[in-house]
Amino acid sequence: MKNTFYVTTPIYYVNAEPHIGHAYTTIVADALTKFKRQRGIDSFFLTGTDEHGINIERKAEERGIAVKQHVDEIVDKFKTAFARLDINYDRWIRTTDAAHEEAVQKLWTLLKEKGYIYKGHYEGWFCGNCNEFKEVEAGDENPTCPTHLKALERVAEASYFFKLSAFQERLLKYYEAHPEFVQPEARRNEVISFVKSGLKDLSVSRVSVKWGIAVPDDAEHTIYVWLDALSNYITALGWGNEHFDGFEKYWLNEVDGKPVSNALHLVGKDILRFHAVYWPAFLLAAEVPLPKTVFVHGMLLKGGQKMGKSTGNAIKLETLHEHFTNDMIRYFLLREVPFGQDGEVTYEAMIERVNADLANGLGNLASRTLTMVKNYFAGQPPRAFDAEADDAKGVRAALTQAKEKFDDEYAALNFSRALEAAWSGIANVDKFITDNQPWKLAKDEAARAKLEAVISTAYETLRQVVLLVAPVLPHTAKAIWQQMGLAGEPLQFNPREATWGEALEIAKVENVTPAFPKLNKEKIVSEIENSEDHQAMATDSQPNAPSDASPKATTGTTANPVAPTEAANKPSATATTPSSDDTKPATVASSEKIAIDDFIKVELRAATILEAERVPKADKLLRLQVDVGEATPRQILAGIAEYYAPEEVVGKKIVIVANLAPRKMRGFESNGMLLAASVGENGRPVLATFGEEVPNGTRLK
Ligand code: MSP
């Protein structure tokens, strides 16, 4: 059997700038490819951009530029962002590539010839963000997308359909026979129950969308974006076009004389159904072997919400780069969030991980070991593995186990557990060094053999660990490797073939520099909180910020469209949220109009203030505990202290914005904001309240 590896990421929409969520899947694919290559497996890593569809067409229109110019600009941003993260993909596919377009038309023709595409008429509700028709409750005339909370669009037009219903049984049989096809298990179960609930034929063309691939022989229609986009996984390898001849090599394999694929699709859980239901159905219809696995990962969260464009709460890559190296970002994402599960990302957690595992763990092992090689052996690492050192054999045995566990877990995409195993090797040898006290042995000529054994074991463990972690920490691994006096680069050596104590040519250890700096948590967190980006991010997530229409989303300017501190201060109903250094209320310019679906995003609820106190060193802030009808009261910081004494507000019934991402101010987390009118020249806040009793938690609409 051929031994090739093919991994893909979703291709990213070009209606928003790249953020940490996009980087996440792509970093995982990169770390996986490096791992496979290090083990001698011929690998291909595909990523790219999904560039067609109504939303992208509209985005360009909003910007007043040609769609092609818009998509080119955003593609450049993605490429730059990924290059900055040291991502080494083998191909960047764009759905606007001529070769892809040609191949998608071939796929269409094939499906049509095989009788799986027919013409009809579609009436229904469409979400341009999901690029999906949605089921809507009978009688609902103003339905919204449950994911994006935006109004759905009514579509009634001629449409081609794909006979998805014909695949229900075949898909169920396939899932049954191939438990590895959808992973993890919970996602597989989700897909099975979805398919069991019944599959309807799928509308696969649009007449009202111009920015797309034309339907062969019926150019009034464009091909449905998901049929277009999913095909990228095979067109990029040269299926249906002459661009590349990788399809045979990377997609096709043979097991027991039958063609199968080794392909691995990494996808977020938000796009599970497209990959685990529609895509295999298209492939079954076209008689192309299915990918081996669709591995579904969780979402990176902030304040419990998925980070992304619609919520405006995504961590910006520039902010990360300012404070963390690539290796730190990669390590954190792979170690902290078990792959497959959702994970909250905070700067605090990142810094703690970096300090504990990288600066103290790996970094400290490297510098203490190499410093001892320099000081006690004139820089020439000893290779003495026979002499007795307390528990040297134990360290070696534990490392062998850790290596095996690392490989098993990593290959199963349990990156967090794999790294944990590697770090257990580090902890073992650290203890071994401390127990043997080489600094004492170095003072005793008679203990020279033991000292050699201790340092040999420490150095050898470090070498083996560096080989293991290289796919995740490519820069650091290389830097430590060079300091160790070892030839080549760690990614060139297969850890499975690196035998313990093997003969090596090792140059002298000369300069020992720390692999990771220790990060100052308070300083970094406060710098980030006060940064322009963070302020802009907080504003984006506020209901009155035109987040979707903001030029920031498409042009990359970091200007804050309605910074609370600078906005005009008119007497009008105002959402009062204090910024870190100024508590003036913000207002939306009265000329600015929003759509109803923008308003629907804002969760306004009735609440009662239970407690209130001043915040030390912040004249304008009150720290409130409010009852919003939840299990426990919420803490909200409000910039009203100049006008309201704490005792005055306790017991007041107020209105709060309940779905605002949390913000930290003066060390306190604020989970929402209260509404107040901003009256007079000074913008005196007058709290919004009710004329009659309303239970806490009641939603205002
Ligand atoms: N264009 C489609 C995918 C087509 S694939 C044939 C699309 N694009 S997207 O730009 O919205 O990107 C979706 C993918 O980005 C997710 O599936 C996931 O891989 C990644 N992520 C975006 N936000 C994310 C988080 N907050 N957390 C983790 N991953 C996230 O859907």
Side-chain angles (χ1 to χ4, degrees), residues 10-13 19 21-22 24-25 50 226 229-230 232-233 266-271 275 297-300 306-308:
I11 48 172
Y12 302 105
Y13 285 134
H19 57 67
H22 306 123
Y24 182 48
T25 325
D50 187 352
W226 272 100
L230 289 161
N232 92 89
Y233 299 131
L266 301 177
V267 303
K269 68 178 187 186
D270 50 340
I271 50 176
H275 284 82
H297 66 76
M299 291 293 120
L300 300 181
K306 176 191 169 188
M307 280 196 239

PDB file of all heavy atoms in Angstrom, residues 10-13 19 21-22 24-25 50 226 229-230 232-233 266-271 275 297-300 306-308, ligand 1:
ATOM      1  N   PRO A  10     -10.537  23.771   5.976  1.00  0.00           N
ATOM      2  CA  PRO A  10     -11.617  24.379   5.195  1.00  0.00           C
ATOM      3  C   PRO A  10     -11.005  25.505   4.365  1.00  0.00           C
ATOM      4  O   PRO A  10      -9.964  26.060   4.743  1.00  0.00           O
ATOM      5  CB  PRO A  10     -12.556  24.965   6.255  1.00  0.00           C
ATOM      6  CG  PRO A  10     -12.185  24.303   7.537  1.00  0.00           C
ATOM      7  CD  PRO A  10     -10.746  23.948   7.421  1.00  0.00           C
ATOM      8  N   ILE A  11     -11.624  25.835   3.274  1.00  0.00           N
ATOM      9  CA  ILE A  11     -11.147  27.036   2.565  1.00  0.00           C
ATOM     10  C   ILE A  11     -11.948  28.203   3.119  1.00  0.00           C
ATOM     11  O   ILE A  11     -13.157  28.112   3.314  1.00  0.00           O
ATOM     12  CB  ILE A  11     -11.234  26.885   1.032  1.00  0.00           C
ATOM     13  CG1 ILE A  11     -12.594  26.346   0.588  1.00  0.00           C
ATOM     14  CG2 ILE A  11     -10.112  25.988   0.537  1.00  0.00           C
ATOM     15  CD1 ILE A  11     -12.788  26.376  -0.917  1.00  0.00           C
ATOM     16  N   TYR A  12     -11.254  29.282   3.403  1.00  0.00           N
ATOM     17  CA  TYR A  12     -11.842  30.345   4.219  1.00  0.00           C
ATOM     18  C   TYR A  12     -12.580  31.375   3.370  1.00  0.00           C
ATOM     19  O   TYR A  12     -12.134  31.734   2.282  1.00  0.00           O
ATOM     20  CB  TYR A  12     -10.737  30.994   5.068  1.00  0.00           C
ATOM     21  CG  TYR A  12     -10.056  29.952   5.941  1.00  0.00           C
ATOM     22  CD1 TYR A  12      -8.787  29.456   5.639  1.00  0.00           C
ATOM     23  CD2 TYR A  12     -10.727  29.404   7.024  1.00  0.00           C
ATOM     24  CE1 TYR A  12      -8.196  28.457   6.415  1.00  0.00           C
ATOM     25  CE2 TYR A  12     -10.156  28.409   7.801  1.00  0.00           C
ATOM     26  CZ  TYR A  12      -8.885  27.936   7.495  1.00  0.00           C
ATOM     27  OH  TYR A  12      -8.323  26.952   8.248  1.00  0.00           O
ATOM     28  N   TYR A  13     -13.690  31.842   3.923  1.00  0.00           N
ATOM     29  CA  TYR A  13     -14.451  32.895   3.251  1.00  0.00           C
ATOM     30  C   TYR A  13     -13.637  34.175   3.220  1.00  0.00           C
ATOM     31  O   TYR A  13     -13.009  34.524   4.224  1.00  0.00           O
ATOM     32  CB  TYR A  13     -15.755  33.188   4.000  1.00  0.00           C
ATOM     33  CG  TYR A  13     -16.838  32.152   3.816  1.00  0.00           C
ATOM     34  CD1 TYR A  13     -17.550  31.673   4.898  1.00  0.00           C
ATOM     35  CD2 TYR A  13     -17.161  31.685   2.551  1.00  0.00           C
ATOM     36  CE1 TYR A  13     -18.560  30.733   4.732  1.00  0.00           C
ATOM     37  CE2 TYR A  13     -18.166  30.753   2.379  1.00  0.00           C
ATOM     38  CZ  TYR A  13     -18.860  30.278   3.467  1.00  0.00           C
ATOM     39  OH  TYR A  13     -19.855  29.359   3.300  1.00  0.00           O
ATOM     40  N   HIS A  19      -8.491  35.507  11.426  1.00  0.00           N
ATOM     41  CA  HIS A  19      -8.350  35.664  12.876  1.00  0.00           C
ATOM     42  C   HIS A  19      -7.875  34.348  13.467  1.00  0.00           C
ATOM     43  O   HIS A  19      -7.621  33.381  12.738  1.00  0.00           O
ATOM     44  CB  HIS A  19      -9.646  36.178  13.502  1.00  0.00           C
ATOM     45  CG  HIS A  19     -10.853  35.307  13.242  1.00  0.00           C
ATOM     46  ND1 HIS A  19     -10.971  34.034  13.757  1.00  0.00           N
ATOM     47  CD2 HIS A  19     -11.972  35.528  12.513  1.00  0.00           C
ATOM     48  CE1 HIS A  19     -12.117  33.515  13.367  1.00  0.00           C
ATOM     49  NE2 HIS A  19     -12.746  34.395  12.589  1.00  0.00           N
ATOM     50  N   GLY A  21      -9.297  31.948  14.851  1.00  0.00           N
ATOM     51  CA  GLY A  21     -10.075  30.751  14.525  1.00  0.00           C
ATOM     52  C   GLY A  21      -9.599  30.110  13.224  1.00  0.00           C
ATOM     53  O   GLY A  21      -9.464  28.895  13.126  1.00  0.00           O
ATOM     54  N   HIS A  22      -9.335  30.940  12.223  1.00  0.00           N
ATOM     55  CA  HIS A  22      -8.827  30.408  10.954  1.00  0.00           C
ATOM     56  C   HIS A  22      -7.419  29.854  11.154  1.00  0.00           C
ATOM     57  O   HIS A  22      -7.047  28.815  10.603  1.00  0.00           O
ATOM     58  CB  HIS A  22      -8.762  31.503   9.881  1.00  0.00           C
ATOM     59  CG  HIS A  22     -10.048  32.228   9.683  1.00  0.00           C
ATOM     60  ND1 HIS A  22     -10.158  33.583   9.818  1.00  0.00           N
ATOM     61  CD2 HIS A  22     -11.288  31.778   9.370  1.00  0.00           C
ATOM     62  CE1 HIS A  22     -11.412  33.956   9.589  1.00  0.00           C
ATOM     63  NE2 HIS A  22     -12.115  32.884   9.316  1.00  0.00           N
ATOM     64  N   TYR A  24      -6.237  28.564  13.731  1.00  0.00           N
ATOM     65  CA  TYR A  24      -6.268  27.333  14.536  1.00  0.00           C
ATOM     66  C   TYR A  24      -6.221  26.078  13.657  1.00  0.00           C
ATOM     67  O   TYR A  24      -5.303  25.261  13.759  1.00  0.00           O
ATOM     68  CB  TYR A  24      -7.539  27.366  15.385  1.00  0.00           C
ATOM     69  CG  TYR A  24      -7.732  26.196  16.313  1.00  0.00           C
ATOM     70  CD1 TYR A  24      -6.697  25.759  17.134  1.00  0.00           C
ATOM     71  CD2 TYR A  24      -8.956  25.529  16.394  1.00  0.00           C
ATOM     72  CE1 TYR A  24      -6.884  24.694  18.015  1.00  0.00           C
ATOM     73  CE2 TYR A  24      -9.155  24.472  17.267  1.00  0.00           C
ATOM     74  CZ  TYR A  24      -8.114  24.060  18.067  1.00  0.00           C
ATOM     75  OH  TYR A  24      -8.299  23.011  18.924  1.00  0.00           O
ATOM     76  N   THR A  25      -7.197  25.935  12.772  1.00  0.00           N
ATOM     77  CA  THR A  25      -7.254  24.732  11.933  1.00  0.00           C
ATOM     78  C   THR A  25      -5.986  24.633  11.084  1.00  0.00           C
ATOM     79  O   THR A  25      -5.456  23.538  10.857  1.00  0.00           O
ATOM     80  CB  THR A  25      -8.482  24.784  10.982  1.00  0.00           C
ATOM     81  OG1 THR A  25      -9.549  25.421  11.655  1.00  0.00           O
ATOM     82  CG2 THR A  25      -8.884  23.410  10.534  1.00  0.00           C
ATOM     83  N   ASP A  50     -12.351  30.437  -0.151  1.00  0.00           N
ATOM     84  CA  ASP A  50     -13.669  30.176  -0.718  1.00  0.00           C
ATOM     85  C   ASP A  50     -14.203  31.543  -1.143  1.00  0.00           C
ATOM     86  O   ASP A  50     -14.540  32.362  -0.299  1.00  0.00           O
ATOM     87  CB  ASP A  50     -14.520  29.579   0.417  1.00  0.00           C
ATOM     88  CG  ASP A  50     -15.875  29.096  -0.044  1.00  0.00           C
ATOM     89  OD1 ASP A  50     -16.230  29.344  -1.205  1.00  0.00           O
ATOM     90  OD2 ASP A  50     -16.581  28.466   0.774  1.00  0.00           O
ATOM     91  N   TRP A 226     -21.453  25.759  -1.928  1.00  0.00           N
ATOM     92  CA  TRP A 226     -20.878  24.628  -1.182  1.00  0.00           C
ATOM     93  C   TRP A 226     -20.467  23.480  -2.114  1.00  0.00           C
ATOM     94  O   TRP A 226     -19.493  22.783  -1.838  1.00  0.00           O
ATOM     95  CB  TRP A 226     -21.846  24.146  -0.093  1.00  0.00           C
ATOM     96  CG  TRP A 226     -21.643  24.916   1.182  1.00  0.00           C
ATOM     97  CD1 TRP A 226     -22.394  25.948   1.631  1.00  0.00           C
ATOM     98  CD2 TRP A 226     -20.587  24.730   2.139  1.00  0.00           C
ATOM     99  NE1 TRP A 226     -21.880  26.419   2.811  1.00  0.00           N
ATOM    100  CE2 TRP A 226     -20.782  25.701   3.157  1.00  0.00           C
ATOM    101  CE3 TRP A 226     -19.507  23.859   2.260  1.00  0.00           C
ATOM    102  CZ2 TRP A 226     -19.938  25.813   4.264  1.00  0.00           C
ATOM    103  CZ3 TRP A 226     -18.667  23.971   3.359  1.00  0.00           C
ATOM    104  CH2 TRP A 226     -18.880  24.934   4.339  1.00  0.00           C
ATOM    105  N   ALA A 229     -17.264  24.870  -3.381  1.00  0.00           N
ATOM    106  CA  ALA A 229     -16.188  24.923  -2.385  1.00  0.00           C
ATOM    107  C   ALA A 229     -15.694  23.528  -1.979  1.00  0.00           C
ATOM    108  O   ALA A 229     -14.488  23.278  -1.910  1.00  0.00           O
ATOM    109  CB  ALA A 229     -16.672  25.673  -1.156  1.00  0.00           C
ATOM    110  N   LEU A 230     -16.621  22.613  -1.727  1.00  0.00           N
ATOM    111  CA  LEU A 230     -16.199  21.283  -1.270  1.00  0.00           C
ATOM    112  C   LEU A 230     -15.328  20.579  -2.312  1.00  0.00           C
ATOM    113  O   LEU A 230     -14.388  19.853  -1.976  1.00  0.00           O
ATOM    114  CB  LEU A 230     -17.428  20.430  -0.933  1.00  0.00           C
ATOM    115  CG  LEU A 230     -18.168  20.852   0.343  1.00  0.00           C
ATOM    116  CD1 LEU A 230     -19.594  20.305   0.358  1.00  0.00           C
ATOM    117  CD2 LEU A 230     -17.418  20.374   1.594  1.00  0.00           C
ATOM    118  N   ASN A 232     -13.066  21.662  -3.924  1.00  0.00           N
ATOM    119  CA  ASN A 232     -11.661  22.096  -3.922  1.00  0.00           C
ATOM    120  C   ASN A 232     -10.716  20.999  -3.467  1.00  0.00           C
ATOM    121  O   ASN A 232      -9.569  20.936  -3.881  1.00  0.00           O
ATOM    122  CB  ASN A 232     -11.496  23.343  -3.043  1.00  0.00           C
ATOM    123  CG  ASN A 232     -11.133  22.994  -1.601  1.00  0.00           C
ATOM    124  OD1 ASN A 232      -9.964  22.873  -1.250  1.00  0.00           O
ATOM    125  ND2 ASN A 232     -12.147  22.792  -0.762  1.00  0.00           N
ATOM    126  N   TYR A 233     -11.228  20.116  -2.588  1.00  0.00           N
ATOM    127  CA  TYR A 233     -10.343  19.102  -2.014  1.00  0.00           C
ATOM    128  C   TYR A 233      -9.821  18.136  -3.080  1.00  0.00           C
ATOM    129  O   TYR A 233      -8.764  17.536  -2.897  1.00  0.00           O
ATOM    130  CB  TYR A 233     -11.093  18.314  -0.928  1.00  0.00           C
ATOM    131  CG  TYR A 233     -11.575  19.169   0.231  1.00  0.00           C
ATOM    132  CD1 TYR A 233     -12.889  19.088   0.696  1.00  0.00           C
ATOM    133  CD2 TYR A 233     -10.708  20.054   0.865  1.00  0.00           C
ATOM    134  CE1 TYR A 233     -13.334  19.862   1.763  1.00  0.00           C
ATOM    135  CE2 TYR A 233     -11.146  20.835   1.941  1.00  0.00           C
ATOM    136  CZ  TYR A 233     -12.453  20.734   2.374  1.00  0.00           C
ATOM    137  OH  TYR A 233     -12.884  21.497   3.431  1.00  0.00           O
ATOM    138  N   LEU A 266      -9.784  18.439   7.996  1.00  0.00           N
ATOM    139  CA  LEU A 266      -9.961  19.050   9.311  1.00  0.00           C
ATOM    140  C   LEU A 266     -11.012  20.140   9.157  1.00  0.00           C
ATOM    141  O   LEU A 266     -10.858  21.028   8.308  1.00  0.00           O
ATOM    142  CB  LEU A 266      -8.657  19.691   9.794  1.00  0.00           C
ATOM    143  CG  LEU A 266      -7.453  18.772   9.933  1.00  0.00           C
ATOM    144  CD1 LEU A 266      -6.235  19.592  10.347  1.00  0.00           C
ATOM    145  CD2 LEU A 266      -7.729  17.675  10.958  1.00  0.00           C
ATOM    146  N   VAL A 267     -12.043  20.082   9.974  1.00  0.00           N
ATOM    147  CA  VAL A 267     -13.095  21.107   9.864  1.00  0.00           C
ATOM    148  C   VAL A 267     -13.610  21.462  11.246  1.00  0.00           C
ATOM    149  O   VAL A 267     -13.584  20.649  12.167  1.00  0.00           O
ATOM    150  CB  VAL A 267     -14.291  20.627   9.005  1.00  0.00           C
ATOM    151  CG1 VAL A 267     -13.847  20.225   7.617  1.00  0.00           C
ATOM    152  CG2 VAL A 267     -15.054  19.493   9.657  1.00  0.00           C
ATOM    153  N   GLY A 268     -14.112  22.680  11.362  1.00  0.00           N
ATOM    154  CA  GLY A 268     -14.754  23.089  12.606  1.00  0.00           C
ATOM    155  C   GLY A 268     -16.154  22.505  12.669  1.00  0.00           C
ATOM    156  O   GLY A 268     -16.752  22.174  11.636  1.00  0.00           O
ATOM    157  N   LYS A 269     -16.698  22.401  13.864  1.00  0.00           N
ATOM    158  CA  LYS A 269     -18.016  21.768  14.012  1.00  0.00           C
ATOM    159  C   LYS A 269     -19.118  22.580  13.341  1.00  0.00           C
ATOM    160  O   LYS A 269     -20.194  22.067  13.080  1.00  0.00           O
ATOM    161  CB  LYS A 269     -18.334  21.530  15.485  1.00  0.00           C
ATOM    162  CG  LYS A 269     -18.563  22.797  16.290  1.00  0.00           C
ATOM    163  CD  LYS A 269     -18.914  22.453  17.726  1.00  0.00           C
ATOM    164  CE  LYS A 269     -19.310  23.709  18.472  1.00  0.00           C
ATOM    165  NZ  LYS A 269     -19.523  23.493  19.895  1.00  0.00           N
ATOM    166  N   ASP A 270     -18.830  23.851  13.042  1.00  0.00           N
ATOM    167  CA  ASP A 270     -19.822  24.697  12.382  1.00  0.00           C
ATOM    168  C   ASP A 270     -20.133  24.240  10.965  1.00  0.00           C
ATOM    169  O   ASP A 270     -21.168  24.600  10.417  1.00  0.00           O
ATOM    170  CB  ASP A 270     -19.346  26.172  12.376  1.00  0.00           C
ATOM    171  CG  ASP A 270     -17.913  26.341  11.873  1.00  0.00           C
ATOM    172  OD1 ASP A 270     -17.149  25.348  11.882  1.00  0.00           O
ATOM    173  OD2 ASP A 270     -17.558  27.458  11.462  1.00  0.00           O
ATOM    174  N   ILE A 271     -19.234  23.448  10.381  1.00  0.00           N
ATOM    175  CA  ILE A 271     -19.476  23.051   8.990  1.00  0.00           C
ATOM    176  C   ILE A 271     -19.456  21.530   8.843  1.00  0.00           C
ATOM    177  O   ILE A 271     -19.084  20.986   7.812  1.00  0.00           O
ATOM    178  CB  ILE A 271     -18.462  23.731   8.035  1.00  0.00           C
ATOM    179  CG1 ILE A 271     -17.024  23.547   8.517  1.00  0.00           C
ATOM    180  CG2 ILE A 271     -18.774  25.214   7.907  1.00  0.00           C
ATOM    181  CD1 ILE A 271     -15.985  24.124   7.551  1.00  0.00           C
ATOM    182  N   HIS A 275     -19.589  18.688   5.289  1.00  0.00           N
ATOM    183  CA  HIS A 275     -18.483  17.761   5.036  1.00  0.00           C
ATOM    184  C   HIS A 275     -18.841  16.297   5.257  1.00  0.00           C
ATOM    185  O   HIS A 275     -18.254  15.416   4.649  1.00  0.00           O
ATOM    186  CB  HIS A 275     -17.286  18.126   5.925  1.00  0.00           C
ATOM    187  CG  HIS A 275     -16.561  19.329   5.427  1.00  0.00           C
ATOM    188  ND1 HIS A 275     -16.971  20.603   5.691  1.00  0.00           N
ATOM    189  CD2 HIS A 275     -15.464  19.445   4.641  1.00  0.00           C
ATOM    190  CE1 HIS A 275     -16.155  21.465   5.112  1.00  0.00           C
ATOM    191  NE2 HIS A 275     -15.221  20.783   4.461  1.00  0.00           N
ATOM    192  N   HIS A 297     -13.308  19.588  14.744  1.00  0.00           N
ATOM    193  CA  HIS A 297     -12.811  20.184  15.989  1.00  0.00           C
ATOM    194  C   HIS A 297     -13.812  21.191  16.548  1.00  0.00           C
ATOM    195  O   HIS A 297     -14.769  21.587  15.879  1.00  0.00           O
ATOM    196  CB  HIS A 297     -11.431  20.815  15.796  1.00  0.00           C
ATOM    197  CG  HIS A 297     -11.402  21.994  14.878  1.00  0.00           C
ATOM    198  ND1 HIS A 297     -11.854  23.230  15.245  1.00  0.00           N
ATOM    199  CD2 HIS A 297     -10.955  22.124  13.601  1.00  0.00           C
ATOM    200  CE1 HIS A 297     -11.684  24.076  14.245  1.00  0.00           C
ATOM    201  NE2 HIS A 297     -11.154  23.421  13.217  1.00  0.00           N
ATOM    202  N   GLY A 298     -13.552  21.598  17.777  1.00  0.00           N
ATOM    203  CA  GLY A 298     -14.452  22.532  18.455  1.00  0.00           C
ATOM    204  C   GLY A 298     -14.114  23.969  18.110  1.00  0.00           C
ATOM    205  O   GLY A 298     -13.297  24.252  17.232  1.00  0.00           O
ATOM    206  N   MET A 299     -14.749  24.862  18.800  1.00  0.00           N
ATOM    207  CA  MET A 299     -14.572  26.295  18.530  1.00  0.00           C
ATOM    208  C   MET A 299     -13.721  26.948  19.607  1.00  0.00           C
ATOM    209  O   MET A 299     -13.815  26.584  20.783  1.00  0.00           O
ATOM    210  CB  MET A 299     -15.937  26.984  18.516  1.00  0.00           C
ATOM    211  CG  MET A 299     -16.786  26.589  17.329  1.00  0.00           C
ATOM    212  SD  MET A 299     -16.057  27.193  15.783  1.00  0.00           S
ATOM    213  CE  MET A 299     -15.785  25.674  14.901  1.00  0.00           C
ATOM    214  N   LEU A 300     -12.932  27.893  19.210  1.00  0.00           N
ATOM    215  CA  LEU A 300     -12.229  28.720  20.179  1.00  0.00           C
ATOM    216  C   LEU A 300     -13.230  29.769  20.644  1.00  0.00           C
ATOM    217  O   LEU A 300     -13.906  30.399  19.821  1.00  0.00           O
ATOM    218  CB  LEU A 300     -11.011  29.395  19.547  1.00  0.00           C
ATOM    219  CG  LEU A 300      -9.957  28.448  18.967  1.00  0.00           C
ATOM    220  CD1 LEU A 300      -8.798  29.241  18.383  1.00  0.00           C
ATOM    221  CD2 LEU A 300      -9.445  27.470  20.023  1.00  0.00           C
ATOM    222  N   LYS A 306     -18.406  31.661  20.483  1.00  0.00           N
ATOM    223  CA  LYS A 306     -17.479  31.370  19.386  1.00  0.00           C
ATOM    224  C   LYS A 306     -16.813  32.672  18.933  1.00  0.00           C
ATOM    225  O   LYS A 306     -17.487  33.677  18.750  1.00  0.00           O
ATOM    226  CB  LYS A 306     -18.266  30.771  18.216  1.00  0.00           C
ATOM    227  CG  LYS A 306     -17.411  30.535  17.005  1.00  0.00           C
ATOM    228  CD  LYS A 306     -18.221  30.198  15.768  1.00  0.00           C
ATOM    229  CE  LYS A 306     -17.312  30.250  14.553  1.00  0.00           C
ATOM    230  NZ  LYS A 306     -17.994  30.117  13.288  1.00  0.00           N
ATOM    231  N   MET A 307     -15.495  32.612  18.785  1.00  0.00           N
ATOM    232  CA  MET A 307     -14.829  33.810  18.270  1.00  0.00           C
ATOM    233  C   MET A 307     -15.062  33.882  16.781  1.00  0.00           C
ATOM    234  O   MET A 307     -14.941  32.882  16.078  1.00  0.00           O
ATOM    235  CB  MET A 307     -13.323  33.696  18.488  1.00  0.00           C
ATOM    236  CG  MET A 307     -12.914  34.038  19.871  1.00  0.00           C
ATOM    237  SD  MET A 307     -11.152  34.308  19.844  1.00  0.00           S
ATOM    238  CE  MET A 307     -10.670  33.093  21.012  1.00  0.00           C
ATOM    239  N   GLY A 308     -15.376  35.052  16.302  1.00  0.00           N
ATOM    240  CA  GLY A 308     -15.575  35.156  14.868  1.00  0.00           C
ATOM    241  C   GLY A 308     -16.049  36.519  14.465  1.00  0.00           C
ATOM    242  O   GLY A 308     -16.204  37.413  15.297  1.00  0.00           O
TER     243      GLY A 308
HETATM  244  N1  MSP B   1     -15.883  28.680   3.384  1.00  0.00           N
HETATM  245  C1  MSP B   1     -16.437  27.807   4.362  1.00  0.00           C
HETATM  246  C2  MSP B   1     -15.711  26.483   4.353  1.00  0.00           C
HETATM  247  C3  MSP B   1     -15.691  25.778   3.043  1.00  0.00           C
HETATM  248  S1  MSP B   1     -14.768  24.320   3.113  1.00  0.00           S
HETATM  249  C4  MSP B   1     -15.087  23.557   1.705  1.00  0.00           C
HETATM  250  C5  MSP B   1     -16.295  28.441   5.731  1.00  0.00           C
HETATM  251  N2  MSP B   1     -15.359  29.378   5.861  1.00  0.00           N
HETATM  252  S2  MSP B   1     -15.021  30.208   7.191  1.00  0.00           S
HETATM  253  O1  MSP B   1     -14.124  31.258   6.818  1.00  0.00           O
HETATM  254  O2  MSP B   1     -16.214  30.584   7.864  1.00  0.00           O
HETATM  255  O3  MSP B   1     -14.152  29.266   8.031  1.00  0.00           O
HETATM  256  C6  MSP B   1     -14.667  28.206   8.729  1.00  0.00           C
HETATM  257  C7  MSP B   1     -13.587  27.475   9.486  1.00  0.00           C
HETATM  258  O4  MSP B   1     -12.687  28.384  10.166  1.00  0.00           O
HETATM  259  C8  MSP B   1     -14.171  26.648  10.605  1.00  0.00           C
HETATM  260  O5  MSP B   1     -14.713  25.450  10.209  1.00  0.00           O
HETATM  261  C9  MSP B   1     -12.952  26.458  11.451  1.00  0.00           C
HETATM  262  O6  MSP B   1     -12.140  25.522  10.825  1.00  0.00           O
HETATM  263  C10 MSP B   1     -12.324  27.851  11.404  1.00  0.00           C
HETATM  264  N3  MSP B   1     -12.825  28.724  12.464  1.00  0.00           N
HETATM  265  C11 MSP B   1     -13.428  29.948  12.322  1.00  0.00           C
HETATM  266  N4  MSP B   1     -13.719  30.441  13.567  1.00  0.00           N
HETATM  267  C12 MSP B   1     -13.331  29.566  14.500  1.00  0.00           C
HETATM  268  C13 MSP B   1     -13.303  29.553  15.906  1.00  0.00           C
HETATM  269  N5  MSP B   1     -13.775  30.538  16.651  1.00  0.00           N
HETATM  270  N6  MSP B   1     -12.741  28.483  16.504  1.00  0.00           N
HETATM  271  C14 MSP B   1     -12.184  27.453  15.795  1.00  0.00           C
HETATM  272  N7  MSP B   1     -12.196  27.431  14.483  1.00  0.00           N
HETATM  273  C15 MSP B   1     -12.834  28.431  13.800  1.00  0.00           C
HETATM  274  O7  MSP B   1     -17.015  28.035   6.615  1.00  0.00           O
END
